[in-house]
Amino acid sequence: MRKKPTGPSSGVLIKAAMDYDRLGWSVIPVQPQDKEPLVRWQVFQHRRPAMTEIGDWFTRWPNANLAIVTGIVSALVVLELDPGRDGDLSCARLEREHGPLPQTVEAESSGGERHLYFAHPGGMVRDRRDLAPGIDLRSDGGFVLAPPSVHASGFSYRWIHSPEVYHIEPLPASLLTAATDAPPQPLDS
Protein backbone atom coordinates (compact mmCIF):
# COMPACT_ATOMS: atom_id res chain seq x y z
CA MET A 1 0.00 0.00 0.00
CA ARG A 2 1.37 3.41 -0.97
CA LYS A 3 1.85 5.99 1.72
CA LYS A 4 -0.29 9.10 1.28
CA PRO A 5 1.84 12.11 0.23
CA THR A 6 2.51 14.53 3.08
CA GLY A 7 3.96 17.49 1.20
CA PRO A 8 3.74 19.41 -2.03
CA SER A 9 4.28 17.52 -5.27
CA SER A 10 7.79 17.35 -6.66
CA GLY A 11 6.82 19.52 -9.65
CA VAL A 12 5.71 22.33 -7.37
CA LEU A 13 8.85 21.93 -5.25
CA ILE A 14 11.19 21.89 -8.23
CA LYS A 15 9.56 25.02 -9.64
CA ALA A 16 9.76 26.84 -6.29
CA ALA A 17 13.38 25.74 -5.74
CA MET A 18 14.37 26.89 -9.23
CA ASP A 19 12.52 30.19 -8.76
CA TYR A 20 14.46 30.75 -5.52
CA ASP A 21 17.70 29.83 -7.29
CA ARG A 22 16.93 32.49 -9.92
CA LEU A 23 16.62 34.97 -7.03
CA GLY A 24 20.16 33.97 -6.01
CA TRP A 25 19.09 31.90 -2.99
CA SER A 26 20.76 28.63 -1.97
CA VAL A 27 18.16 25.91 -1.37
CA ILE A 28 18.18 22.46 0.23
CA PRO A 29 15.64 19.65 0.72
CA VAL A 30 14.53 18.83 4.26
CA GLN A 31 12.50 16.02 5.80
CA PRO A 32 8.74 16.20 5.12
CA GLN A 33 6.90 18.14 7.85
CA ASP A 34 10.21 18.61 9.64
CA LYS A 35 13.35 20.75 9.59
CA GLU A 36 16.01 18.02 9.28
CA PRO A 37 18.12 18.41 6.09
CA LEU A 38 18.09 15.47 3.67
CA VAL A 39 21.57 16.39 2.37
CA ARG A 40 24.83 17.47 3.94
CA TRP A 41 23.89 21.11 3.74
CA GLN A 42 27.02 22.86 5.02
CA VAL A 43 28.50 23.05 1.50
CA PHE A 44 25.43 25.03 0.43
CA GLN A 45 26.38 27.77 2.90
CA HIS A 46 29.20 28.54 0.45
CA ARG A 47 27.70 27.73 -2.95
CA ARG A 48 24.27 27.40 -4.50
CA PRO A 49 23.26 23.98 -5.76
CA ALA A 50 23.30 23.30 -9.49
CA MET A 51 19.94 23.03 -11.25
CA THR A 52 20.65 19.31 -11.77
CA GLU A 53 21.10 18.83 -8.01
CA ILE A 54 17.81 20.60 -7.32
CA GLY A 55 15.99 18.46 -9.89
CA ASP A 56 17.57 15.25 -8.54
CA TRP A 57 16.67 16.08 -4.92
CA PHE A 58 13.02 16.80 -5.47
CA THR A 59 12.61 13.87 -7.86
CA ARG A 60 14.19 11.56 -5.25
CA TRP A 61 12.20 13.12 -2.36
CA PRO A 62 8.92 14.36 -3.92
CA ASN A 63 7.37 15.05 -0.49
CA ALA A 64 10.36 16.90 0.96
CA ASN A 65 10.18 20.36 2.43
CA LEU A 66 12.17 23.18 0.89
CA ALA A 67 14.58 25.33 2.88
CA ILE A 68 16.50 28.46 1.95
CA VAL A 69 20.04 28.66 3.31
CA THR A 70 20.42 32.07 4.91
CA GLY A 71 23.55 34.17 5.16
CA ILE A 72 25.97 35.61 2.67
CA VAL A 73 25.48 32.76 0.15
CA SER A 74 21.85 33.85 -0.41
CA ALA A 75 22.40 37.49 0.60
CA LEU A 76 19.64 37.00 3.21
CA VAL A 77 19.03 37.48 6.90
CA VAL A 78 15.63 36.24 8.08
CA LEU A 79 13.93 37.39 11.26
CA GLU A 80 11.77 34.58 12.69
CA LEU A 81 8.92 35.72 14.91
CA ASP A 82 7.17 32.96 16.87
CA PRO A 83 4.00 34.19 18.65
CA GLY A 84 3.88 30.93 20.64
CA ARG A 85 7.13 32.01 22.32
CA ASP A 86 6.10 35.70 22.71
CA GLY A 87 7.76 36.78 19.46
CA ASP A 88 4.89 39.16 18.73
CA LEU A 89 5.39 40.88 22.10
CA SER A 90 9.17 41.04 21.62
CA CYS A 91 8.70 42.48 18.12
CA ALA A 92 6.30 45.14 19.45
CA ARG A 93 8.90 46.09 22.09
CA LEU A 94 11.63 46.22 19.44
CA GLU A 95 9.48 48.48 17.25
CA ARG A 96 8.65 50.80 20.19
CA GLU A 97 12.37 51.17 20.92
CA HIS A 98 13.70 51.41 17.34
CA GLY A 99 10.77 52.26 15.09
CA PRO A 100 8.69 50.03 12.83
CA LEU A 101 10.31 47.27 10.82
CA PRO A 102 10.25 48.00 7.09
CA GLN A 103 7.76 46.16 4.90
CA THR A 104 9.80 43.44 3.24
CA VAL A 105 9.41 39.96 1.78
CA GLU A 106 7.52 37.86 4.34
CA ALA A 107 6.35 34.25 4.73
CA GLU A 108 4.07 32.71 7.33
CA SER A 109 3.50 29.24 8.76
CA SER A 110 0.12 27.95 9.85
CA GLY A 111 0.94 28.61 13.48
CA GLY A 112 1.36 32.31 12.76
CA GLU A 113 5.16 32.18 12.79
CA ARG A 114 6.46 34.94 10.53
CA HIS A 115 9.68 35.04 8.50
CA LEU A 116 10.78 38.55 7.51
CA TYR A 117 13.46 38.53 4.82
CA PHE A 118 16.17 41.22 4.87
CA ALA A 119 19.23 41.88 2.71
CA HIS A 120 22.45 40.55 4.20
CA PRO A 121 24.72 43.52 5.03
CA GLY A 122 27.96 41.70 4.12
CA GLY A 123 30.59 40.32 6.43
CA MET A 124 29.62 37.69 9.00
CA VAL A 125 26.17 37.85 10.61
CA ARG A 126 25.94 34.72 12.70
CA ASP A 127 22.74 32.77 13.12
CA ARG A 128 21.20 33.73 16.51
CA ARG A 129 18.57 31.86 18.45
CA ASP A 130 16.63 33.69 21.14
CA LEU A 131 17.74 37.15 20.13
CA ALA A 132 14.72 38.06 22.27
CA PRO A 133 11.87 35.83 23.50
CA GLY A 134 10.33 34.28 20.39
CA ILE A 135 12.75 35.99 17.98
CA ASP A 136 15.49 34.16 16.09
CA LEU A 137 17.78 35.67 13.49
CA ARG A 138 18.65 33.25 10.68
CA SER A 139 21.79 34.16 8.83
CA ASP A 140 25.26 32.67 8.30
CA GLY A 141 25.02 29.11 9.58
CA GLY A 142 21.23 28.79 9.33
CA PHE A 143 18.27 28.11 7.07
CA VAL A 144 14.50 28.63 7.03
CA LEU A 145 11.65 26.59 5.62
CA ALA A 146 10.02 28.32 2.69
CA PRO A 147 6.77 28.04 0.75
CA PRO A 148 5.43 25.57 -0.34
CA SER A 149 6.86 23.56 2.59
CA VAL A 150 4.43 21.88 4.95
CA HIS A 151 4.61 22.71 8.67
CA ALA A 152 4.45 19.86 11.22
CA SER A 153 0.82 20.91 11.79
CA GLY A 154 0.04 19.83 8.21
CA PHE A 155 -0.50 23.34 6.85
CA SER A 156 1.68 24.94 4.19
CA TYR A 157 3.98 27.90 4.52
CA ARG A 158 2.79 30.75 2.31
CA TRP A 159 4.04 34.11 1.12
CA ILE A 160 2.44 37.14 2.76
CA HIS A 161 4.70 39.47 0.74
CA SER A 162 6.08 37.51 -2.21
CA PRO A 163 9.65 38.01 -3.43
CA GLU A 164 8.13 38.35 -6.91
CA VAL A 165 6.33 41.53 -5.82
CA TYR A 166 8.11 42.99 -2.79
CA HIS A 167 11.63 44.32 -2.46
CA ILE A 168 13.93 42.79 0.17
CA GLU A 169 14.77 45.65 2.50
CA PRO A 170 18.15 46.21 4.19
CA LEU A 171 18.60 44.65 7.63
CA PRO A 172 17.73 47.35 10.19
CA ALA A 173 20.80 48.58 12.07
CA SER A 174 19.11 47.80 15.42
CA LEU A 175 18.84 44.11 14.46
CA LEU A 176 22.43 43.97 13.27
CA THR A 177 23.59 45.56 16.52
CA ALA A 178 21.47 43.17 18.60
CA ALA A 179 22.83 40.20 16.63
CA THR A 180 26.45 41.21 17.09
CA ASP A 181 25.95 42.03 20.80
CA ALA A 182 24.34 38.64 21.55
CA PRO A 183 26.58 35.80 22.75
CA PRO A 184 27.69 33.55 19.86
CA GLN A 185 25.64 30.44 19.05
CA PRO A 186 27.34 27.32 17.67
CA LEU A 187 26.76 26.68 13.98
CA ASP A 188 24.45 23.77 13.20
CA SER A 189 26.38 20.68 12.25
Side-chain angles (χ1 to χ4, degrees):
M1 183 163 172
R2 283 188 65 167
K3 189 175 177 183
K4 184 179 176 187
T6 56
S9 71
S10 70
V12 171
L13 284 166
I14 291 171
K15 181 185 180 324
M18 290 184 174
D19 287 346
Y20 299 158
D21 179 77
R22 279 189 279 282
L23 291 170
W25 299 349
S26 181
V27 297
I28 57 170
V30 298
Q31 291 283 349
Q33 296 186 340
D34 196 11
K35 296 180 181 180
E36 186 65 33
L38 288 166
V39 295
R40 295 180 67 100
W41 71 280
Q42 290 78 5
V43 67
F44 301 107
Q45 293 179 55
H46 307 286
R47 73 164 179 91
R48 294 193 342 247
M51 289 287 189
T52 54
E53 289 173 297
I54 293 170
D56 290 347
W57 290 339
F58 294 106
T59 299
R60 180 175 178 188
W61 298 299
N63 296 320
N65 272 339
L66 173 60
I68 297 169
V69 179
T70 53
I72 197 106
V73 69
S74 296
L76 291 174
V77 175
V78 177
L79 187 68
E80 273 187 3
L81 305 172
D82 184 350
R85 296 187 305 124
D86 293 331
D88 48 350
L89 299 174
S90 293
C91 184
R93 188 185 82 242
L94 178 77
E95 289 185 312
R96 277 193 309 276
E97 293 171 5
H98 302 284
L101 292 171
Q103 191 172 50
T104 189
V105 171
E106 181 178 346
E108 178 183 58
S109 75
S110 63
E113 183 178 281
R114 296 168 54 205
H115 292 174
L116 283 71
Y117 287 63
F118 294 102
H120 194 286
M124 173 65 84
V125 180
R126 297 191 51 97
D127 201 52
R128 303 284 185 192
R129 289 182 181 80
D130 296 320
L131 191 61
I135 296 181
D136 296 334
L137 194 71
R138 300 294 181 204
S139 190
D140 297 287
F143 61 85
V144 293
L145 291 185
S149 293
V150 178
H151 188 268
S153 66
F155 293 95
S156 295
Y157 284 76
R158 65 186 185 99
W159 289 112
I160 300 298
H161 299 137
S162 167
E164 295 172 358
V165 177
Y166 286 81
H167 177 74
I168 295 178
E169 294 296 324
L171 180 67
S174 58
L175 290 177
L176 181 58
T177 300
T180 55
D181 288 347
Q185 298 283 326
L187 293 176
D188 292 348
S189 51

